[in-house]
Amino acid sequence: MADFSQPPPGSGTPNKDPRKLNTFFGVMVPTILSMFSIVLFLRTGFVVGHAGLLQGLLMVIVAYTIISLTVLSICAISTNGAIQGGGAYYMISRSLGPEFGGGIGLMFFLAKVFACGEYVLGLVEAILDVFGSDPGKFGVRVLPQGYWYTVLYSSGVLLLCLLVCLVGAHIYSRTAFVILLVVTVSLLSIFISSVAVKPRDFVITHQGPGNQTLRYNASYTGFSAATLKSNLGPGYSLDYSTNSVMSFATVFAVMFTSCTGIMAGANMSGELKTPSVSIPKGTIVAVLYTFTVYVLVFILVSATCDRTLLIQDYGFLQRINIWPPFVTVGIYCASLSAAMCAMIGASRILHALALDHLFGLPLAPAAITSSSGNPWVAVAASLLLASLVTVFYLLAYAAVDLACLALEWASAPNFRPTFQLFSWHTCLLGILSCLVMMFVINPVYSSGSIVLLLLLLLFLHYRSPTSSWGYISQALIFHQVRKYLLMLDVRKDHVKFWRPQVLLMVANPRSSSQLILFVNQLKKGGLYVLGHVQLGDLDTLPSDPVQQQYNFWLSLVDKLGVKAFVDLTLSPSVRQGTQHLLRITGLGGMKPNTLILGFYDSCTPEDFFLQDTAFCDSSIGQNSDGEYNFGVDLPSLQAHFPPVRHVESPRWLSPEEYVGIISDAVKMSKNVCLGRYFFQLEGEGKDSKVDGSERTIDVWPLNLLQPGSRDYQDVCSLFLLQMACVLNMSNKWRHARMRIFLNVETESSDQGWVVNEETFRELLKKLRIRASIKIVPWDSVVQHHAKSDGVPSSEPTQALSEGFLSAVNCMLTEHSSQAAVRFLYLPRPPAHRSQSQQYLAQLEAVTYGLGPTLLIHGVTPVTYTDL
C-alpha cells in the first residue's frame, strides 16, 4: 500500500482525533448538496429551454461521463492507502509530488473560495427577488436594494457560514443533513406539483432597451405530448439576464457547474472515520443520485412547460408549485449549503497546504487548529478571499486523473487499490475531457489558469521542497529507463558514438573532491560512477555496513553538484573490491569503460571540506527552506568521512596492490587514467564562472619513458587525444587552448620526424581536433636514456636512470608549467609484481611538481574519420 499513513508534520496537529464522520454524513450529504446547489432550481429552465430536452440530456450525460472518469480515479487513489486531511490536494501531492500538488492545491483552494462567493451572491439574489424593495410576483417589500446593500447581505450570509464552519465539521455535517432534508422536500414538491397544479398562463415582463417593457405570454400545460414534442429540439435565443445569444457551449458551461461538487466528500478526508471506504462509496452513490434527479427534472419540465416559460423566467418552478415557498426555501438552503461546503472544503485544503510548508510563512498561520482539530484560521482566511471557478475545478480534476494515470503507468507493485473499476484508458480520457471542457467553457480563463499553474510549479520547484512522500516521477523514470536500457544493445555499439563511461575510485572525498569535479567535466554525457571499497568481511559482521553509507555519498554528490552515481562494495582488499566494481557496476550498455584512480604518492593531501564554503557554512545544513535531507545534514556528512591521511598514517593500499589494480583493468579491456595534483585545480565547482578562456590543455601523446617509440597513432595515443578533445568540449573548458607536443630527435640522421609531423597534422585534420602543434626537440633528454647494447629498450619495466627521468620532468616543466592540465601517456604496467615500486617511482619522478596531470593508458579504439 502507498505510504499515506504518516500525517504531515506541523505544530497544528490536534490533540483529539477529529475523525468522526461516516460515509453518509461525511461524503454523501455534502457531495449531493454541492452538485445540486442553486443550478437545480434556477438554471434547469435555462438549459432545457435553450438546448431542448435531447441536447439537455446529452449535456447531462457528457458532463456526468467526464466527472465519472475523475470519480474512478479518486476512488482508485483513495483506496490505495490511508488518506489524511486535504482531500484532492493530499491525493495529488502524495502521488505527483509537492510541486504539482502545491500548485493544484492552491488553485483548487481559490476555486472553492470563488465558488463560495458565487453561491452567496446567488443566495442574496434569490432573497432579494422575494423580499427586495423591487420584488417579483411573490415578493414582500421588506429589504432595501442597492450595491452596498448586496455587499451587506452577502457579508451576513458569509458570517453565518463562518460560524457553522468554525464550530467544526461535525456541526457542519449535521447542518448539511437538515438542509438536505429541506431540499428533498422542495424536490418532492416539484414532482407533486406537476400532477396537482392545473394548466395556467403567465405574462412575463422584462426591461428592454430604451426603458421599454417587453411582455411574453407563457404557459404551464401540465403533462402534454405536444409540449414535450415542441421542447425536444434546441431553441437557442437571447438570454434575458445577459442580453447575449446562447449556444451549445455557453449553455453546457452553465450546466457543467452543477457537476463540480464531486470533491466535496473527498475534501472532508481529515474528518472521515474510514476515508478509503467512505470516499469511493459515498461519492459514487451521490453521483448516481444527482444524475437521476437531473434527468427526471429535465423530462418533467420539458413535458409540462412551454419554451417561452423556460427561457423567459429561470425561477419558473416557483410559479408552478403548489406552494411557492417550497421552492424558495429550497433555493435558499441549496445555496447556503453549497457556500458552506465550499468554505469548509477550501479551509481544509488551505490547512493541508500550510501543514506541508510548501509556501512557507504566508500560509503558516493556516496550520493552527483548535483543540478539537478544526482549522479555524483557514476557515477565516477562506471567508476573506471569497466561469473561473469551473475552470479551476476542471484543472484539479484533470490533476487527479493524471495522478491515477501516472500511478497506473508506473506499474509500481504497491499501487493496488481495492477499487478496481478503472484503467489507464479512463484516466487518460478523463484528463482529455477535462482539458477540452476547460477551453469549451472559456478559452481565455483556461489558458490563464494553465499559465498560473506553470508559474506555481516553477515557484515550488525552485523552492526545492524535497519531501519524504515518494515521487511518482521516480517510478515513471525507473519504468522508462528499464525499457530503454533493454533497448541499449551492446552488440550495436559503434566507435563513432563512443563516449567515456567512467568509474572513479575514491578513498576519501575530503582529499579527492577536486578530482571528482574534474572528471565530471570529462564524462561528456556518459556514465559517471563514484566507486568506494569498504574493507571488511561480511562473515564477521552482523550486517552490511555499506548499505548505511549510500545516503552520505549521495548527499556528497548533491553538495558537489556532479552528475554521478554511487557504487560501494565490501571486500577484504581494495584490489578485489575494484575488480567487483569494474565487473558489476552499470547495466547493459551502460557499464564503465574507463577506470580513473588518484595517484599513489607520499604527498600529504589537503582537506577540500575545509576550503569549500558549501561544506563550511553551518547554515547550509539547517534546511532553512524546509528541504528534506534524507537523514543527512551537514554535520553528519562531515563526520562520516574520516580526516585526511597524515604522512605517518598507515596506508590501506600497497604499491603492488595499486599497480595490480591498473593491470587488472587493462586485462579487463578497461582504459586507465591516473590523476595527480588535482587538488591544485581551481574553478571546477558548480558555482564557478570559469569558461576556460584563460586555460591551456597540454597533450603529450608520445610514451616519454620509451624514446624509441615514435608511433603517434597507436590506440593509446589516439585515446589520449580523444580524452583531451572531450575535455575541451565541456562547459568549463570549451574556450581553453589545446596544445599537442611532438617529441623529435632533430640531431638524428633519420629525418623521418618531418614526415611524421605532416602525417600527424593530417590525422588531426581528419579527427577534427582543433589544436596547435608544438615541436619539442629532446635529443638531450634521450641521451640520458639507459641503453642495453646500444639499442633502446621497449620494455616498460626497464630500470631508467634518474638523470633521464629528471630530464623528462624538466622538459615537461619547461613547456607545460603554465598549463591548467596535462595529458601524458601512461605506459603499460609491469607483468611482474616485483617491479611495481619501480614502475610507480618512474611515474612519480616524471610528473613531480607539474601540477594537475592525467596519465592515460587507452586500450579502446575511440576515433573515427568517416562520416
Side-chain angles (χ1 to χ4, degrees), residues 699-704 711-714 716-718 720-721 739-743 760 823-825:
V699 184
W700 298 77
L702 185 68
N703 186 352
L704 299 178
D711 187 2
Y712 290 96
Q713 299 188 37
D714 70 348
C716 187
S717 296
L718 292 177
L720 191 145
L721 289 171
R739 302 187 300 178
I740 300 176
F741 293 87
L742 298 185
N743 300 82
F760 190 73
F823 286 68
L824 303 184
Y825 190 115

Side-chain angles (χ1 to χ4, degrees), residues 553-603:
W553 284 84
L554 292 172
S555 296
L556 172 75
V557 168
D558 293 339
K559 288 289 184 188
L560 294 175
V562 297
K563 297 177 181 178
F565 298 94
V566 172
D567 212 346
L568 313 178
T569 189
L570 183 71
S571 178
S573 70
V574 177
R575 181 178 181 181
Q576 193 176 37
T578 305
Q579 287 182 15
H580 295 167
L581 293 177
L582 281 172
R583 292 185 187 278
I584 66 175
T585 295
L587 285 173
M590 292 193 69
K591 295 184 73 70
N593 56 31
T594 303
L595 174 67
I596 300 183
L597 303 171
F599 196 78
Y600 191 96
D601 57 20
S602 57
C603 292

Side-chain angles (χ1 to χ4, degrees), residues 779-853:
D779 302 80
S780 59
V781 176
V782 175
Q783 291 176 2
H784 294 279
H785 186 246
K787 300 181 181 179
S788 300
D789 299 329
V791 179
S793 172
S794 61
E795 287 294 325
T797 56
Q798 178 194 7
L800 301 172
S801 67
E802 290 186 9
F804 172 73
L805 297 174
S806 176
V808 172
N809 179 255
C810 290
M811 177 186 66
L812 293 172
T813 304
E814 178 185 352
H815 292 90
S816 290
S817 60
Q818 301 302 316
V821 66
R822 301 142 197 84
F823 286 68
L824 303 184
Y825 190 115
L826 174 67
R828 191 179 183 90
H832 303 291
R833 179 182 174 89
S834 59
Q835 298 174 323
S836 298
Q837 293 198 27
Q838 176 185 303
Y839 176 75
L840 285 178
Q842 293 174 359
L843 298 180
E844 183 173 5
V846 168
T847 58
Y848 180 76
L850 286 183
T853 303

